[in-house]
């Protein structure tokens, strides 16, 4: 199985901050990487697919980059609604796997 | 806009079979454009992919669950189902159904349903 390791696992930041979350794959996955946002009690929401393509309707302050084994999700200016948990997911090979999550909280 | 809704028992006894259904509206599961998956999440933990089914009925499962899982389609009802046999407390989780674009990019999700395994 391909392991995805997110860092940090927990992040405290303020509104307006720029934050970056990293996802590292245990082997190369090209750009077969997706990012989701999950709020408490809710289903995950697709943010970015193919490592860097913004899903329709997602604010442009979200961006993704990377290929191979290292990927990043950046939020350019945190808004109150961005405080949530973020997961990466690989679809390069089966089984599909997710990172352990990064919890983003208000400082 | 597609909507997915999970349904099924919220409580299952150990060693019994967990059965859930995902009803899809706003899209036909027969259209051939998407895969239909189940994902679960134990309380306070991360996401685990269970498996998926395609329009043709072909399936893929997580090897960690493969011996116990069956995912099937009912195109006449526009729904797909999950069966997980011989459950234990470790199977207690919120179960989500999801639509997979390009195979496994989950662009639409159900709201999730909590299944507790307990006697």
């Amino acid at each position: 199985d391909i392991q995805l390791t997110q860092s940090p696992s927990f992040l405290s930041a303020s509104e307006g901050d720029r934050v970056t979350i990293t996802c590292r794959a245990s082997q190369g996955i090209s750009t077969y990487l997706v990012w989701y946002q999950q709020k408490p009690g809710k289903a995950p929401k697709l943010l970015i697919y193919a490592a860097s393509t913004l899903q329709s309707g997602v604010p442009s302050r979200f961006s993704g980059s990377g290929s191979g084994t290292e990927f990043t999700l950046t939020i350019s200016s945190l808004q109150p609604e961005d405080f949530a948990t973020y997961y990466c997911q690989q679809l390069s090979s089966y089984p599909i796997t997710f990172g352990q999550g990064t919890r983003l909280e208000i400082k | 806009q597609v909507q997915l809704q999970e349904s099924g028992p919220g409580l299952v006894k150990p060693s019994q079979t967990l059965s859930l259904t995902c009803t899809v509206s706003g899209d036909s599961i027969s259209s051939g454009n998407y895969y239909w998956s189940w994902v679960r999440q134990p309380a306070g933990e991360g996401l685990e992919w269970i498996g998926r089914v395609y329009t043709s009925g072909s399936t893929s499962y997580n090897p960690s669950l493969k011996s116990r899982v069956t995912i099937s389609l009912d195109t006449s009802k526009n729904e797909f189902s999950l069966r997980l046999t011989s459950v234990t407390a470790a199977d207690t989780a919120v179960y989500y159904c999801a639509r997979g674009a390009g195979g496994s990019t989950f662009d639409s999700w159900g709201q999730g349903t909590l299944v507790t395994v307990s006697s």
Side-chain angles (χ1 to χ4, degrees):
Chain A
D1 298 6
I2 294 176
Q3 309 300 318
L4 297 178
T5 304
Q6 292 182 229
S7 59
S9 294
F10 178 83
L11 182 56
S12 181
S14 301
E15 186 176 337
D17 284 353
R18 177 185 180 92
V19 299
T20 297
I21 299 168
T22 298
C23 177
R24 290 188 173 87
S26 59
Q27 62 191 76
I29 59 171
S30 184
T31 58
Y32 293 103
L33 190 98
V34 178
W35 290 97
Y36 299 94
Q37 176 194 68
Q38 187 179 34
K39 296 183 178 179
K42 301 295 186 182
K45 172 188 174 183
L46 176 63
L47 296 177
I48 288 170
Y49 62 94
S52 61
T53 303
L54 202 64
Q55 172 71 348
S56 176
V58 174
S60 59
R61 62 181 180 273
F62 291 91
S63 64
S65 66
S67 66
T69 61
E70 186 154 335
F71 303 85
T72 59
L73 171 69
T74 299
I75 310 172
S76 61
S77 178
L78 278 172
Q79 299 302 301
E81 60 268 29
D82 299 337
F83 293 95
T85 299
Y86 293 84
Y87 293 95
C88 58
Q89 175 221 322
Q90 66 82 21
L91 53 153
S92 173
S93 67
Y94 287 92
I96 295 161
T97 51
F98 295 86
Q100 83 279 13
T102 294
R103 185 177 174 186
L104 176 56
E105 292 201 340
I106 301 172
K107 184 181 288 184
Chain B
Q1 177 158 343
V2 64
Q3 291 187 319
L4 294 84
Q5 177 68 58
E6 306 89 351
S7 60
L11 180 64
V12 181
K13 289 181 167 47
S15 80
Q16 294 193 342
T17 296
L18 179 160
S19 295
L20 296 174
T21 296
C22 182
T23 302
V24 179
S25 58
D27 188 16
S28 169
I29 62 172
S30 308
S31 67
N33 295 325
Y34 300 99
Y35 289 76
W36 305 92
S37 278
W38 289 94
V39 176
R40 70 180 184 179
Q41 184 173 38
E45 297 186 24
L47 300 161
E48 180 181 31
W49 177 73
I50 298 170
R52 72 178 193 183
V53 62
Y54 187 56
T55 308
S56 63
S58 67
T59 54
S60 299
Y61 299 127
N62 192 322
S64 67
L65 298 168
K66 187 174 183 178
S67 64
R68 300 193 290 130
V69 174
T70 304
I71 297 175
S72 59
L73 287 172
D74 186 337
T75 55
S76 67
K77 296 181 179 179
N78 213 43
E79 60 188 32
F80 62 106
S81 300
L82 168 70
R83 292 184 75 250
L84 182 66
T85 62
S86 305
V87 297
T88 69
D91 296 309
T92 294
V94 174
Y95 285 75
Y96 295 100
C97 58
R99 185 179 78 169
S104 304
T105 298
F106 303 124
D107 64 350
S108 296
W109 296 68
Q111 64 185 24
T113 187
L114 173 63
V115 178
T116 301
V117 178
S118 174
S119 55

